[in-house]
Amino acid sequence: MIGWVYGIVAVSVAASLTAYRRATRGVRGQSRREDAIAGLAVGVPWIAVYVFDGALKANGFDNAIVYGVFDAAGPWLVVGTAMAALAAGRGQRTTMVAGLTVVVAGTVAAFFGPAGCWGVLGVAGFVGLLVLAVSQYVRLRRA
Amino acid sequence: MTDDALDPLIHAPARLRIVVTLAALREGDSLSFPRLQRMLSLTPGNLITHLRKLEDAGYLVTEKSDARPSNGTSVALTPAGRRALDDYTAALRAILDGV
């Protein structure tokens, strides 16, 4: 089961990188440098969460805690924090609030236990993507 | 408002596509000539001709990259080019609203 989780994470990261490279081929300038910095700021902590799993397992933590709570909530905490910090540096208030909301969702979900944590974050992810889609739709309709 | 308000330099279909494509880039970014050519499916000669007209009007800048000679020239819209596209879009909307 855990092999599937790591496999899906690896495939989604590879697919995202491929799509990004194809979309930005031939583009030069400031935004490429900013994207590289943002990619490192978000990507390295995200990978660190999964490496940290090994440390928890080596220290005798139960599978339910490692794969149930930490693996579910950890990425939300570190990615949300990196996202909020980057947005704060750029003065992007809306993105910063979104990053902090991700952190709060990850923190709250951890209280719901191994299965509940995945469930709460699944619903939170669905609601977050729905809000993003609606806001994009409204923005494009107004443009 | 009449169609005189439409900037004739941008109104040509190929140049309109060039300006709209470059306007999608974030400010300060540029696009390589080969990528722009592939995206618009124009011949190099045709693209160069249109780029030159837009550059002469101050709507875009081209620069040679010494670091990557294989990709050669890159193209970017100037603030004047973005303003011209905004004005063109507003003029077109006004015409369509009056129909």
Side-chain angles (χ1 to χ4, degrees):
Chain A
M1 181 62 188
I2 197 63
W4 279 100
V5 173
Y6 284 116
I8 290 168
V9 169
V11 168
S12 64
V13 168
S16 302
L17 281 176
T18 304
Y20 173 79
R21 283 195 182 134
R22 286 183 68 173
T24 59
R25 194 172 294 150
V27 178
R28 296 171 192 151
Q30 181 68 20
S31 73
R32 293 302 300 272
R33 288 187 286 275
E34 286 176 0
D35 286 350
I37 292 167
L40 276 175
V42 174
V44 170
W46 196 352
I47 292 167
V49 169
Y50 296 103
V51 176
F52 201 78
D53 279 351
L56 290 178
K57 281 294 288 177
N59 284 295
F61 280 84
D62 190 63
N63 276 353
I65 300 300
V66 177
Y67 301 125
V69 177
F70 186 73
D71 259 6
W76 287 64
L77 299 182
V78 296
V79 171
T81 304
M83 188 176 150
L86 279 169
R90 293 175 183 169
Q92 299 166 338
R93 194 185 301 178
T94 310
T95 311
M96 193 194 77
V97 170
L100 292 177
T101 307
V102 168
V103 173
V104 170
T107 308
V108 171
F111 285 94
F112 286 80
C117 189
W118 280 103
V120 167
L121 291 176
V123 172
F126 168 74
V127 171
L129 288 174
L130 194 64
V131 168
L132 185 67
V134 170
S135 65
Q136 291 269 38
Y137 175 77
V138 170
R139 192 173 59 83
L140 289 171
R141 287 278 294 181
R142 283 182 184 161
Chain B
M1 185 173 290
T2 67
D3 59 357
D4 293 342
L6 294 175
D7 186 340
L9 208 62
I10 295 183
H11 195 54
R15 288 198 289 275
L16 180 60
R17 290 169 65 211
I18 291 170
V19 172
V20 168
T21 303
L22 294 175
L25 296 172
R26 279 185 267 179
E27 211 142 333
D29 284 355
S30 60
L31 193 62
S32 72
F33 184 91
R35 178 76 200 271
L36 184 61
Q37 192 202 327
R38 269 197 306 276
M39 288 176 80
L40 302 177
S41 303
L42 293 171
T43 63
N46 200 357
L47 181 55
I48 286 170
T49 306
H50 289 303
L51 290 180
R52 208 163 281 158
K53 283 182 182 169
L54 291 166
E55 192 172 18
D56 288 345
Y59 288 177
L60 59 82
V61 286
T62 58
E63 58 180 31
K64 296 263 184 198
S65 167
D66 294 327
R68 289 182 181 177
S70 58
N71 281 344
T73 307
S74 60
V75 189
L77 212 57
T78 62
R82 282 184 191 274
R83 271 197 307 276
L85 179 62
D86 288 342
D87 292 344
Y88 177 87
T89 310
L92 192 60
R93 284 220 171 99
I95 290 169
L96 292 173
D97 286 344
V99 174

